[in-house]
Amino acid sequence: RAAARARLEAGAGGLDTARELSAVADEIVSALFDFTTTHVYRASNPTEGERLSVCAVGGYGRGELAPFSDLDLLFLSGWKLTPWSESVIEFMLYMLWDLGLTVGQSVRTVDQAIKLAKQDWTILTAMLDLRRIAGDAEHPELLAGRLAKDVLRGKARDFVAAKLEERDVRLERQGASRYMVEPDVKEGKGALRDLHVLDWLARGVALGRGGSAAVARLFASDEARRFEAAADFFWRVRALMHFAAGRPHDKLTFDLQPEIARLMGFEDKGAELAVERFMRRYFLVAKDVGALTRILCAKLEAEEAKRAPPSLQRLWPLRKKLKGLDAKMFKLEADRLNFANAAVVRRSPAAAMELFRTAAAHGLDVHPDALAAVARSLDSVDKTARSDETAVAAFFGVLGELKTVEPTLRLMNESGLLGAFVPEFGGIVGRTQFNMYHHFTVDEHTLRVVGGLADLEAERLGEDSEFAKPLFKKISNRRALYLAALLHDTGKGAGDQQIEGAKKAATAAKRLGLSKMEVKLTSWLVGNHLEMNDVAQRRDLGDPRTLVDFVDLVESPERLRLLTLLTIADISAVGPGVWTAWKRRLLFDLYDLAEAAIRGGRATAERARDSLAAKAEAARGLLTDAATDDERAATADWAARMDDAYFLAFGAEAHARHADFAMSAEALGRSADVDARWAPESGVAELLVLAHDEHGLFARLARAVTAAGGDIRGAHAFTSKEGVAFDVFLVSLKGGREAGEDWGALSRLRDTVLSAALGDPLDVVAPGHKASRRAAAFAVEPTVAIDNDASDEATVIEVSGRDRPGLLADLTDVFAAAKASVLSAHVESYGERVMDVFYVSELDGGKLKHPSRRAAITRKLLAALGAQEPDAPRSGDRKLARAKASAAR
């Protein structure tokens, strides 16, 4: 292993390494068998039952072995085992285990092996890779012949269909996308197991014969070379991962990626990190495996070797003709669209785009031969071809097909045409961002955004579509919206992604023939696609300045509608669980407020205040009207005491729940009270705190939450006109457990926070925290930006740094020590990074005006964030902080 590792890190191939390790294992097993049968249990005249073969099966049988993988052995005999055979097998297994090897073993006769192969496709698959290592040579040959004759003959179709179905199940378990940012090199989509499946399919059709030659027979020479190159790449990555981890480890986790990138020889280039360049290469190879899968399956169909399974998108009944199909240019083969003559795509690049437009319009899959023809013609997609009117019309035709736009764009991306025709998109194909927030590569995320937008418009997304339906009906720039969705992340890796993306979007829109107004609108959408989420999640919607600044940005109802639709699709496509009910409500509220503020003309501060006041008053009235006759007076009193900011921060259901809690506490004469409940709508626990307001209360409560094992995911602080503090915390429990799953933990959380609210001197020092290996792999630079213009009443402080339990408590401690009041806190996590915004004032009201005071707070906040040099001038520049936040997202 040490020798193999040294050669591998010096540049040896992955397949060579896997074969070398397999050959060494063969030597060990062969020598052990020879020693056992010669010196330990010698059989001078072996009977039929003592003619024993030791065979490798599975991956080891293919002659490929990762450094810490299992040795899969089959002990094969022609007759039932004798005591001698059992003793030999037992001795060998114990010896291998004592050597520290992990062994998977089975003991069978030839008849037993055949019987099991007929019953289980998985067992048959393992035996397709059977290879004799030591012992009798006749029985393995006999088994191989009987597998072909008695098991596979007449069953090739069933075998192929079963392996494809098995692949679907595996990928569903792993994650159906090959572009997951922490891929499994062995089992993930487009990785080693998919190459193995191709080999099994080919050998199943060849009745188990031919070995690797079976694949070569079905592939053209260039395709066979791509197959070999992909296998070599993945084996090299996998072997390096095993050596780096010192154990079997096939998931390419964040903490391993930088080390593997270094060992693979990747270096930083410009703004792109070495690890990002390596992962980009990984996903391009995985994409190549996807293309090879399509090609092989199409060729198997052409040979009538299998029925078309659902896994290959055979969703339509077989047809030979299709109404409206241009017979001179296209034909149908097994319900896939193909060129009638592949040479047409070389003569006219627009034909390639027309292929996909036709496929999208008719809901067809594209034949792999057509995809290959497109891929071979990409060098003809030049500047002239990119602005060709026919090609451009076909391109926007694809974007106009709501039912098929995402799968069609995915096929275009697989063929390389999308990146060639829109080179701005080509720059993000396979690109990753080295952080824990994003779940997919940039191009995969982008295609999901476009698909999500189509789902919104086609009313396939329930509550989101219900909200979006009237917006789609009113927009007049749909083409600009969908183009902006396709281009929104093209600025990633080039500095501030919004600024650079806006430039690229303008260039693309001009080339595609959009009007000046559409070009400007597309560029604006890309250049501001993060802003609405930022305002909704990280700003106080009850502050008129927030609304005025946002309306000044969007300027018109059309821009507001387009930006809202793009924002919904963008957040939803980041990954599972990112688009929450909490975020949905805040975003929808921002749209409603902004739409009301600009209705009939440009917003002013006065109109914004009127809009906010009207919405808050309507919420007060709704709360009071919903109360019972006995509760109405108390409810109206509670509603009158809470300011507009509170009513704008929550929905009607929350208002009613909060009022019941507050009125119950007052009825019982409690000076402070805490309620904790599991909130399934937000996926965390909701903690309500009612207490007499005093300096440092918010910091003390945050510290208590952390001490009780909670991690604060969101927080709002309010003070009634009578000086009563009403704070709301959204809390998840340490270790990732949901609070609703552990009522004991929820009770401890409530009791600890109640003690803090009562001013109890309970020790609430938060436990220490060490970042996980995955989180520690990322360099997170702390930043602090102080803005006195973002609010009319308070100083807005933006804080960004590595997320950890207790961070909010440490940050609010800084404000308490500085004798500054936290009016509200807005907490947002982006993977390993937290971005918090605080609205802060002096104790007697007003902003933090003195520069030296702001500088002192900045230094202490940076220290709390873990900055190495807290005196370094890293704060005060809001544009710089926003640029860094943009790059992080």
Side-chain angles (χ1 to χ4, degrees), residues 561-573:
R561 295 180 195 119
L562 294 172
L563 184 60
T564 302
L565 294 169
L566 179 58
T567 303
I568 294 171
D570 188 19
I571 302 173
S572 302

Side-chain angles (χ1 to χ4, degrees), residues 114-365:
I114 292 297
K115 181 180 179 180
L116 290 170
K118 289 179 178 180
Q119 297 172 350
D120 192 322
W121 293 118
T122 302
I123 293 175
L124 170 61
T125 304
M127 286 193 286
L128 281 180
D129 294 316
L130 182 142
R131 180 172 56 85
R132 172 185 168 275
I133 301 174
D136 182 80
E138 182 181 338
H139 292 141
E141 292 181 6
L142 176 63
L143 176 58
R146 290 189 61 187
L147 286 173
K149 179 182 177 181
D150 299 343
V151 182
L152 280 171
R153 189 177 301 279
K155 297 288 186 179
R157 289 181 177 182
D158 295 336
F159 174 73
V160 169
K163 296 318 293 181
L164 288 171
E165 182 179 356
E166 181 184 289
R167 176 180 181 268
D168 287 346
V169 172
R170 168 174 56 85
L171 295 181
E172 184 67 27
R173 184 173 62 249
Q174 288 289 324
S177 173
R178 71 173 59 94
Y179 304 112
M180 303 288 285
V181 292
E182 285 189 297
D184 190 305
V185 180
K186 180 182 177 184
E187 301 287 351
K189 187 173 185 178
L192 273 173
R193 186 64 78 211
D194 275 3
L195 291 173
H196 297 159
V197 170
L198 297 183
D199 180 61
W200 294 330
L201 296 184
R203 293 169 64 186
V205 172
L207 302 184
R209 294 186 293 270
S212 59
V215 173
R217 184 177 64 83
L218 290 174
F219 277 145
S221 58
D222 63 324
E223 294 161 355
R225 284 193 296 270
R226 286 160 58 195
F227 182 97
E228 187 83 0
D232 189 73
F233 176 85
F234 285 128
W235 268 113
R236 188 162 187 231
V237 172
R238 189 184 182 204
L240 287 170
M241 289 169 59
H242 276 223
F243 282 132
R247 57 183 175 84
H249 188 87
D250 294 322
K251 188 169 185 179
L252 193 48
T253 51
F254 290 128
D255 55 311
L256 272 178
Q257 288 175 15
E259 175 66 7
I260 304 304
R262 182 186 67 80
L263 293 171
M264 293 283 287
F266 288 86
E267 298 178 349
D268 295 349
K269 187 175 182 180
E272 194 172 15
L273 299 175
V275 64
E276 293 173 342
R277 295 184 65 218
F278 160 59
M279 292 306 298
R280 187 174 195 179
R281 173 62 180 159
Y282 179 97
F283 291 118
L284 289 175
V285 174
K287 175 183 170 185
D288 217 24
V289 173
L292 291 172
T293 302
R294 280 183 160 274
I295 290 168
L296 183 67
C297 289
K299 290 185 177 181
L300 291 176
E301 281 187 346
E303 295 185 2
E304 298 182 347
K306 69 178 184 66
R307 292 186 295 269
S311 60
L312 295 179
Q313 304 179 26
R314 310 296 181 265
L315 302 178
W316 308 275
L318 289 174
R319 299 165 284 199
K320 291 185 178 180
K321 294 183 179 180
L322 190 68
K323 187 177 180 180
L325 189 67
D326 184 349
K328 291 183 180 180
M329 184 174 287
F330 302 117
K331 62 181 179 180
L332 285 179
E333 291 186 24
D335 261 6
R336 293 188 183 93
L337 190 65
N338 199 356
F339 290 112
N341 182 352
V344 68
V345 74
R346 172 65 65 178
R347 295 194 302 266
S348 172
M353 194 61 71
E354 186 62 29
L355 171 79
F356 293 103
R357 187 204 67 77
T358 302
H362 295 286
L364 291 170
D365 193 6

Side-chain angles (χ1 to χ4, degrees), residues 289-544:
V289 173
L292 291 172
T293 302
R294 280 183 160 274
I295 290 168
L296 183 67
C297 289
K299 290 185 177 181
L300 291 176
E301 281 187 346
E303 295 185 2
E304 298 182 347
K306 69 178 184 66
R307 292 186 295 269
S311 60
L312 295 179
Q313 304 179 26
R314 310 296 181 265
L315 302 178
W316 308 275
L318 289 174
R319 299 165 284 199
K320 291 185 178 180
K321 294 183 179 180
L322 190 68
K323 187 177 180 180
L325 189 67
D326 184 349
K328 291 183 180 180
M329 184 174 287
F330 302 117
K331 62 181 179 180
L332 285 179
E333 291 186 24
D335 261 6
R336 293 188 183 93
L337 190 65
N338 199 356
F339 290 112
N341 182 352
V344 68
V345 74
R346 172 65 65 178
R347 295 194 302 266
S348 172
M353 194 61 71
E354 186 62 29
L355 171 79
F356 293 103
R357 187 204 67 77
T358 302
H362 295 286
L364 291 170
D365 193 6
V366 177
H367 198 282
D369 288 349
L371 291 176
V374 171
R376 288 193 295 267
S377 69
L378 293 180
D379 58 349
S380 65
V381 184
D382 55 14
K383 185 176 181 181
T384 301
R386 293 182 188 117
S387 57
D388 178 87
E389 290 185 4
T390 303
V392 168
F395 170 71
F396 282 111
V398 171
L399 290 183
E401 296 289 346
L402 296 185
K403 185 177 180 180
T404 56
V405 58
E406 183 180 349
T408 305
L409 287 176
R410 202 175 297 283
L411 286 175
M412 290 170 65
N413 192 32
E414 293 284 343
S415 71
L417 179 63
L418 185 56
F421 189 74
V422 186
E424 293 80 9
F425 180 87
I428 61 171
V429 173
R431 178 180 287 277
T432 65
Q433 284 186 283
F434 190 54
N435 59 49
M436 293 173 64
Y437 178 58
H438 295 91
H439 294 245
F440 307 104
T441 58
V442 181
D443 57 327
E444 173 68 9
H445 163 73
T446 297
L447 297 181
R448 287 170 180 253
V449 171
V450 177
L453 203 57
D455 287 341
L456 273 178
E457 187 172 3
E459 300 179 32
R460 294 190 286 261
L461 295 181
E463 184 179 347
D464 291 341
S465 286
E466 184 179 346
F467 175 82
K469 183 177 179 180
L471 276 65
F472 272 110
K473 286 185 175 180
K474 293 178 181 178
I475 64 173
S476 55
N477 291 281
R478 183 186 179 282
R479 185 165 68 164
L481 172 62
Y482 274 83
L483 184 60
L486 186 68
L487 300 171
H488 78 282
D489 271 349
T490 53
K492 286 196 171 181
D496 186 306
Q497 65 156 304
Q498 293 194 120
I499 294 174
E500 299 304 321
K503 296 176 184 176
K504 294 184 178 185
T507 300
K510 289 177 184 176
R511 186 179 62 249
L512 292 168
L514 272 64
S515 67
K516 289 184 178 180
M517 183 274 292
E518 288 177 301
V519 170
K520 184 177 180 181
L521 182 56
T522 303
S523 178
W524 182 86
L525 283 170
V526 174
N528 294 279
H529 73 274
L530 296 173
E531 299 302 320
M532 190 171 190
N533 180 57
D534 277 357
V535 174
Q537 310 300 328
R538 304 171 62 209
R539 287 290 182 268
D540 189 343
L541 299 187
D543 189 321

Side-chain angles (χ1 to χ4, degrees), residues 787-799:
D787 191 342
N788 264 337
D789 298 325
S791 171
D792 291 334
E793 307 296 334
T795 295
V796 178
I797 302 179
E798 299 184 12
V799 173

Side-chain angles (χ1 to χ4, degrees), residues 600-656:
R602 190 177 181 86
T604 63
E606 183 177 353
R607 184 177 296 165
R609 288 190 178 89
D610 290 344
S611 177
L612 292 169
K615 188 173 180 66
E617 194 57 38
R620 285 192 182 90
L622 187 64
L623 175 63
T624 303
D625 293 343
T628 64
D629 292 339
D630 294 338
E631 294 175 342
R632 188 157 293 158
T635 303
D637 180 57
W638 159 260
R641 280 185 282 155
M642 300 303 291
D643 60 18
D644 290 355
Y646 164 75
F647 282 97
L648 293 168
F650 300 97
E653 182 182 348
H655 292 152

